[in-house]
Amino acid sequence: MLVPIRLLLSLSVLITLGLITGGWLGVGAAPSPHATHAWTGEDRGEVRGSVVDEVGEPVLGVRVELVIRERLVGSATTEADGRFQILFSADVLRALGSPTSGEVRAQRLGYHAAVQSVELPDPGEVLLVLRPAPLPLPGMRVDGGPTRCEGDDADGLARLLWEAAASRHPGGVDTLGIASYMSSLTDTVDGEARAPVRSPDGATAEEGVGRPEAGQRGSAPILRLGWGRRIDRQGYAFPVRRTDREGSYASWSYAPLESDLASHFGAPQFGEMHYFQMISAREDGWLVRFCAQDRDRPHIDGRIELTADTLIRRADWSFRTDPPVENAGGWALFPAPEGSPPPLLPLESMAWRTLRETTTIRRAQWFDGWILAPGDSVPFLPRRAKEAEGSR
């Protein structure tokens, strides 16, 4: 069987990049000769603690990571009481040279990240304090028109990278019911002015941080199948009429790529509808641009961030529609694998649009793990005790 020369060359570039980054073949840092703790097969480690805000209140839904020698060893999400627990094994630490220290990192939308050094193997109780930060809004406004997109890169490398990533994430999500506990925060910006963040209950707060609303998000497979068919027929948005105090006006309804339709970024339909072009090859992975092949219907342009072991880490996109142009878009951050590659369902996301050319509404969401179940309905999630009171 003859293999096209172009494909062989592209694959050789992939392998070379993987060797350089050390991620493709799983090459790690060399063990340290100065390690003082000899880990045995019986060792098991644990990092536990709490995450609170500036006034000492627990923060729900914070992603907490244990990082050793720039490698993610384990992660957890805080509960309503702000508590977390990260377990790790001796095998992982021996592979890293039996280190005696590491870092615990906590991050969540609306807060600055917190980092604390810990000693191994017994770090004790860890307390991380998060300080408010305005919610980021990258790419909210677009000046000028997008660069014309004519096709894939000449060497096809960007498409090969996307295909490798899409094949690694579990498929079949569209045939499952999915659900997750969720917190959300809605913010309104008038024109270019900075406005206080307004949570769904109408409360405001200084420094651009409000009190998120706790809830659930889920969908049945038939709903996502319907969106797939609509995208085939009409594109990524369809016209609707909205009503506010000033009356009725034309608007758009957009595909929910920031939540339960995020798996679309790894679906064959997405690959068939877009061109792929390389933006950059970095030590920790690749940045790939995607742009629509059919630009006569509502479509999306954006970029996908791939990890060194070819998993999709993040997607950013902008919707392109006929008037009214609402400068809509969003981004979704996907969880790092804790073992096998995870399904393409977001850990955090944000979406925004401008209504009547004056008011921009943006909505941040973060998800506390997704439940997947076979069947035609949404998996049942019992309401957690004190869920609303524990949300921050």
Side-chain angles (χ1 to χ4, degrees):
M1 178 180 177
L2 296 177
V3 180
I5 294 177
R6 173 178 167 273
L7 180 58
L8 285 174
L9 290 174
S10 299
L11 288 174
S12 68
V13 174
L14 275 175
I15 294 172
T16 301
L17 285 173
L19 287 171
I20 293 172
T21 62
W24 183 274
L25 299 179
V27 179
S32 170
H34 305 295
T36 57
H37 180 80
W39 290 84
T40 71
E42 302 299 321
D43 282 331
R44 292 294 183 271
E46 175 189 34
V47 175
R48 64 187 182 278
S50 302
V51 180
V52 299
D53 60 18
E54 285 187 311
V55 296
E57 292 292 324
V59 185
L60 169 70
V62 179
R63 179 176 175 81
V64 185
E65 299 178 340
L66 174 61
V67 177
I68 300 176
R69 293 182 179 167
E70 300 305 320
R71 296 296 183 94
L72 177 63
V73 173
S75 65
T77 303
T78 58
E79 297 293 335
D81 60 359
R83 299 285 300 172
F84 68 88
Q85 179 187 43
I86 302 174
L87 300 175
F88 54 93
S89 70
D91 292 338
V92 173
L93 294 174
R94 283 200 303 272
L96 294 174
S98 299
T100 58
S101 64
E103 285 186 345
V104 178
R105 303 175 182 176
Q107 55 183 342
R108 206 189 93 166
L109 290 176
Y111 296 89
H112 291 293
V115 179
Q116 183 172 323
S117 298
V118 294
E119 294 183 0
L120 301 173
D122 184 15
E125 190 80 7
V126 178
L127 178 64
L128 294 147
V129 180
L130 294 182
R131 291 176 171 78
L135 290 172
L137 194 58
M140 184 182 70
R141 294 195 175 277
V142 178
D143 296 324
T147 303
R148 190 69 180 176
C149 182
E150 302 292 350
D152 287 345
D153 283 334
D155 61 4
L157 178 57
R159 178 172 290 276
L160 284 173
L161 282 167
W162 175 81
E163 290 175 349
S167 68
R168 293 203 61 204
H169 289 280
V173 174
D174 290 342
T175 65
L176 303 173
I178 61 175
S180 173
Y181 293 108
M182 179 193 75
S183 297
S184 63
L185 182 62
T186 302
D187 176 24
T188 302
V189 180
D190 296 325
E192 297 294 336
R194 182 77 179 93
V197 169
R198 294 177 173 84
S199 65
D201 62 6
T204 63
E206 297 180 353
E207 303 296 332
V209 177
R211 182 181 296 274
E213 180 182 70
Q216 300 179 7
R217 175 79 187 198
S219 63
I222 191 171
L223 177 64
R224 299 190 300 283
L225 178 63
W227 262 113
R229 290 174 174 172
R230 184 182 290 274
I231 289 171
D232 269 336
R233 294 194 312 268
Q234 297 176 262
Y236 285 86
F238 61 91
V240 295
R241 299 291 302 181
R242 301 187 187 277
T243 303
D244 60 14
R245 295 176 183 176
E246 300 178 23
S248 178
Y249 63 96
S251 182
W252 294 92
S253 179
Y254 304 97
L257 301 171
E258 75 283 357
S259 55
D260 40 323
L261 200 63
S263 59
H264 178 72
F265 289 108
Q269 181 186 32
F270 177 77
E272 294 166 1
M273 296 179 67
H274 293 88
Y275 296 122
F276 296 91
Q277 300 171 353
M278 182 70 71
I279 296 177
S280 64
R282 304 177 300 187
E283 191 170 316
D284 59 347
W286 297 270
L287 200 57
V288 170
R289 176 193 180 196
F290 64 86
C291 48
Q293 298 186 24
D294 182 359
R295 308 184 73 82
D296 295 329
R297 300 183 303 168
H299 56 278
I300 56 173
D301 294 327
R303 63 185 193 176
I304 292 176
E305 180 182 332
L306 304 173
T307 64
D309 53 352
T310 56
L311 290 174
I312 297 177
R313 176 61 173 160
R314 177 180 170 125
D316 297 75
W317 65 92
S318 296
F319 290 99
R320 313 293 188 189
T321 66
D322 292 331
V325 176
E326 296 182 334
N327 294 318
W331 57 260
L333 180 68
F334 300 100
E338 299 176 14
S340 58
L344 271 180
L345 293 169
L347 174 70
E348 302 175 358
S349 68
M350 182 179 285
W352 55 85
R353 68 171 70 192
T354 301
L355 300 179
R356 291 188 179 272
E357 300 182 354
T358 58
T359 302
T360 296
I361 298 176
R362 57 186 180 179
R363 187 169 189 247
Q365 299 176 101
W366 42 97
F367 304 91
D368 189 13
W370 290 86
I371 303 298
L372 286 71
D376 298 327
S377 60
V378 180
F380 174 72
L381 294 177
R383 184 171 177 82
R384 294 182 293 189
K386 299 183 179 180
E387 182 178 85
E389 291 81 358
S391 297
R392 290 294 185 271

